[in-house]
Amino acid sequence: MFISNAYAQTAGAATEGAFGSMTWMMIIMLVGMFFLVIRPQQKEAKKKKEMMDALSKGDEVVTLGGMLGKVVRITDTHLVLEIANGCEIIVVKSAVSTVLPKGSMKAI
């Protein structure tokens, strides 16, 4: 009926081992999340920043809203796009989703 001290100590030692394995499991999960979620997002952000830095006058781009245009002027934060002959719009630089190959707007 009474619980012996040896039994209580054994149970305590067993929980210490479980805590150690749980700690390792959490570390492995965090490392896995880094490689599956955070690292690809960082690569994508770096790629987008390189694309924004490489924009120049005359590039043909697609905005996030789906508008096609040719870059006329560039400032630090904005672009002026010519979407038709004589029709220019101002968009935020971060709204550019894709840079098209040269001459792709002529086919449209």
Side-chain angles (χ1 to χ4, degrees):
M1 284 213 146
F2 295 102
I3 300 172
S4 67
N5 289 339
Y7 180 72
Q9 289 175 355
T10 306
T15 58
E16 287 175 12
F19 178 74
S21 66
M22 189 181 343
T23 304
W24 280 108
M25 186 70 122
M26 289 297 289
I27 291 171
I28 291 170
M29 286 178 60
L30 289 173
V31 169
M33 289 295 288
F34 175 77
F35 282 106
L36 292 174
V37 177
I38 297 170
R39 193 160 181 245
Q41 286 180 347
Q42 288 175 340
K43 283 185 176 181
E44 201 62 36
K46 182 179 177 183
K47 184 179 169 185
K48 176 116 174 154
K49 185 179 181 327
E50 288 173 356
M51 180 186 70
M52 293 297 164
D53 293 340
L55 281 175
S56 62
K57 184 177 176 182
D59 284 346
E60 297 172 356
V61 297
V62 178
T63 65
L64 292 173
M67 297 190 94
L68 295 146
K70 184 182 282 189
V71 177
V72 177
R73 284 188 304 274
I74 300 175
T75 64
D76 290 339
T77 57
H78 293 84
L79 297 173
V80 177
L81 298 179
E82 183 179 31
I83 56 174
N85 290 336
C87 183
E88 295 179 349
I89 61 170
I90 300 171
V91 295
V92 179
K93 214 175 190 182
S94 61
V96 174
S97 65
T98 309
V99 176
L100 298 172
K102 299 277 186 187
S104 53
M105 284 184 55
K106 291 179 183 175
I108 296 173

